[in-house]
Amino acid sequence: MLCIGHRGAMGHAPENTLKSIAKALELGAPWVEVDVYPVEGHLVVIHDNRLERTTNGSGYVWEKTFSYLRTLDAGQGEKIPTLEEVLDLVSERAGINIELKLPGTAAWVVKVIQDRIRTHWDANNFLVSSFNHHEIAAVRQLDDRIRIGALIAGIPLEYALFAQKLAAYSVHQSIEFVSREFITDAHDRNLKVFVYTVNHPEDIARMDALGVDGVFTNYPDRVLSFLESKSDPRPR
Ligand code: G3P
Ligand code: MG
């Protein structure tokens, strides 16, 4: 089961900041997830469409200038990072799942990833996801080397068929809706199942028992120690 640090390691540091990404890497997360918005040609790393919850700013992200956003405190003195800064920090030490929050982001993210692939990053270090399936379809259309993940929070009548139609690598299901039927259907369609957001130790064990392929977690340490204890059956 793959451990994906949600917004870095947001249980330990301000979400979607370089501090949070560094913490996830320090804890040993093999993958990290971040959320991005396009602003004046930059991809800024933040979750909400408004600034109030995670910064000392206010208003919608998309109505701000890039230079204004960079003056804000995103927690513990951290700036809102750019995707480029996150990639520089990760520096191929982990895979990165980039979640697109707005329509019109695909071309920007493809450009950033292509620049890295040109400098010899492995394309499989990237996974681009969105609840907006038109956006990830556009990513695949622009460059079919880039894997896409289809986000969902529900159980469609035809289970994971929508993700197969997208030629997705993975389907990212909410913990509220994950079921054995959904997982089996996705696996039969050759899709990985990654579940968000899995923080409680009981849920970590439950997801593992269900056979999901990965979990997004605010606490990579919890998932990694569960996996370690599983591979080492000696009493602790
Ligand atoms: O990508 C998994 C998860 O992050 C999706 O939901 O709202 O946390 O971006 P959200
Ligand atoms: Mg996200």
Side-chain angles (χ1 to χ4, degrees), residues 13-212:
E15 65 181 60
N16 281 324
T17 62
L18 294 181
K19 200 177 244 185
S20 185
I21 306 297
K23 187 68 190 176
L25 297 175
E26 180 199 314
L27 293 171
W31 276 74
V32 290
E33 183 255 11
V34 292
D35 309 287
V36 300
Y37 287 80
V39 175
E40 295 182 329
H42 302 272
L43 287 168
V44 294
V45 177
I46 185 165
H47 178 270
D48 296 4
N49 60 18
R50 292 190 65 88
L51 296 163
E52 286 85 349
R53 184 180 62 85
T54 59
T55 77
N56 57 347
S58 64
Y60 288 106
V61 172
W62 57 73
E63 67 188 17
K64 306 298 177 193
T65 62
F66 178 68
S67 54
Y68 167 77
L69 292 174
R70 297 287 275 179
T71 64
L72 300 177
D73 184 340
Q76 297 177 14
E78 291 288 298
K79 279 192 180 126
I80 298 174
T82 63
L83 180 60
E84 302 272 11
E85 288 172 335
V86 169
L87 295 178
D88 288 344
L89 172 62
V90 169
S91 181
E92 292 185 277
R93 285 179 290 166
I96 174 148
N97 174 204
I98 305 161
E99 183 186 339
L100 313 184
K101 288 295 193 191
L102 274 193
T105 314
W108 296 108
V109 81
V110 167
K111 187 186 169 304
V112 169
I113 293 173
Q114 285 176 337
D115 285 348
R116 299 288 162 156
I117 294 174
R118 218 167 285 125
T119 61
H120 309 295
W121 281 50
D122 185 341
N124 293 341
N125 279 350
F126 298 96
L127 177 60
V128 179
S129 62
S130 189
F131 285 102
N132 183 336
H133 297 171
H134 299 273
E135 274 305 298
I136 49 173
V139 167
R140 242 197 115 64
Q141 189 83 37
L142 287 164
D143 193 329
D144 65 8
R145 294 172 301 176
I146 303 171
R147 286 173 170 171
I148 57 170
L151 269 156
I152 189 168
I155 309 175
L157 278 178
E158 290 171 306
Y159 292 98
L161 176 64
F162 70 97
Q164 186 180 28
K165 281 187 183 163
L166 282 160
Y169 173 74
S170 49
V171 52
H172 302 185
Q173 175 65 283
S174 165
I175 190 166
E176 284 173 73
F177 295 103
V178 71
S179 68
R180 215 172 271 284
E181 291 76 15
F182 187 86
I183 294 164
T184 302
D185 181 83
H187 284 167
D188 288 347
R189 298 179 196 280
N190 206 20
L191 293 156
K192 305 273 186 207
V193 179
F194 299 145
V195 179
Y196 63 92
T197 306
V198 184
N199 293 324
H200 195 285
E202 283 177 20
D203 286 329
I204 295 168
R206 190 163 60 89
M207 292 304 113
D208 182 65
L210 274 172
V212 307

